[in-house]
Amino acid sequence: MLEGAKRTANFKVVIVDGKLPVIHLDNFQGPNASPPPLFRYCSDQWSLDIVFPDWSFWGWAETNIKPWKETLKDIKEGNKKSNWKDRVPYAYWKGNPHVASTRQNLLQCNVTSKNEWNTRLYIQDWVKESTQGYKKSSLGDQCTHRYKIYIEGWAWSVSEKYILACDSMTLYVRPNFYDFFIRGMDPLQHYWPIRDNSKCTSLKFAVEWGNKHADK
């Protein structure tokens, strides 16, 4: 046991506070490749970063988000306010579109006088929220629609777990990154996949299908 403890004591890891993976697969090819054990909040198919829970599980004071245990309790209480069939029959998203082009593209799917894509999309202004006491950003009050959209930002988004925690169908826009738990979830069981290259039609179809099969 002492010998094992000595070996364990020499084991070194690095945890980097950042979103994008940095241990690229191309740099570690061949039988003698030994990538460093670097832990990060997300990774992708071209990287070897080891994913582990992100900082927001312990709270995110800058956005008035409480630790996960407390936040999950608030979301569960919000879920109790309405049954799924009684919720607004559209796909809901609220976030910052300025961090990624894919989010800016998503805004083209918002309802207009000419188009109805079965979505209700809102821009989250965190600066304004901070001056108004975060009255319109409570996660426990955002489980009011039958469908909620998850879409990446600069990399993977911490919003993922909050969206999945709602008793709403998660419409999951095809991602480039993964965190520590999403690979254990199955499409059409835990979420409905949305095509990234045709978001509007894909979202419209998902909502129409769900509303037509609301009793299932």
Side-chain angles (χ1 to χ4, degrees):
M1 291 181 66
L2 288 175
E3 184 178 350
K6 289 179 181 178
R7 288 199 299 268
T8 303
N10 291 328
F11 181 68
K12 296 180 180 179
V13 299
V14 177
I15 299 175
V16 177
D17 183 13
K19 283 192 172 183
L20 293 175
V22 296
I23 307 299
H24 302 299
L25 180 62
D26 290 345
N27 296 332
F28 299 94
Q29 299 291 332
N32 297 320
S34 55
L38 186 140
F39 286 76
R40 212 167 181 84
Y41 303 138
C42 73
S43 190
D44 57 30
Q45 61 179 316
W46 303 282
S47 305
L48 297 171
D49 303 60
I50 304 169
V51 288
F52 81 127
D54 70 89
W55 77 93
S56 64
F57 277 93
W58 290 268
W60 191 359
E62 293 84 354
T63 55
N64 200 42
I65 293 178
K66 294 177 285 188
W68 173 241
K69 186 176 181 179
E70 298 174 48
T71 299
L72 181 59
K73 182 179 178 181
D74 291 342
I75 293 175
K76 286 183 176 180
E77 289 300 316
N79 282 332
K80 295 177 182 178
K81 294 178 181 179
S82 61
N83 294 321
W84 185 83
K85 290 180 66 175
D86 297 329
R87 296 183 181 184
V88 182
Y90 296 106
Y92 173 93
W93 180 80
K94 187 175 185 179
N96 180 3
H98 306 299
V99 296
S101 59
T102 186
R103 288 190 174 188
Q104 294 173 19
N105 177 254
L106 173 66
L107 292 182
Q108 297 179 18
C109 305
N110 214 349
V111 60
T112 67
S113 58
K114 296 182 179 180
N115 294 306
E116 173 58 89
W117 298 110
N118 295 333
T119 62
R120 297 297 183 266
L121 312 176
Y122 305 91
I123 295 176
Q124 177 71 73
D125 186 338
W126 285 112
V127 175
K128 184 178 180 180
E129 275 295 292
S130 66
T131 62
Q132 297 181 352
Y134 299 97
K135 295 179 180 179
K136 297 182 180 180
S137 59
S138 171
L139 294 170
D141 295 333
Q142 295 185 31
C143 299
T144 56
H145 291 63
R146 289 184 180 180
Y147 314 89
K148 293 200 68 176
I149 300 169
Y150 169 77
I151 186 169
E152 293 178 333
W154 179 38
W156 127 101
S157 172
V158 300
S159 65
E160 181 186 54
K161 55 184 173 293
Y162 308 125
I163 292 171
L164 287 166
C166 278
D167 285 341
S168 301
M169 180 188 292
T170 298
L171 305 183
Y172 201 97
V173 179
R174 183 178 179 178
N176 291 311
F177 303 93
Y178 59 83
D179 63 4
F180 78 101
F181 68 83
I182 193 61
R183 289 175 295 173
M185 295 188 169
D186 296 320
L188 301 183
Q189 179 178 353
H190 300 109
Y191 61 87
W192 184 291
I194 298 297
R195 294 190 298 272
D196 182 52
N197 59 356
S198 54
K199 297 181 183 72
C200 299
T201 54
S202 190
L203 288 165
K204 183 178 177 66
F205 174 81
V207 173
E208 287 180 346
W209 190 96
N211 288 338
K212 289 179 181 178
H213 300 83
D215 293 325
K216 290 190 176 182

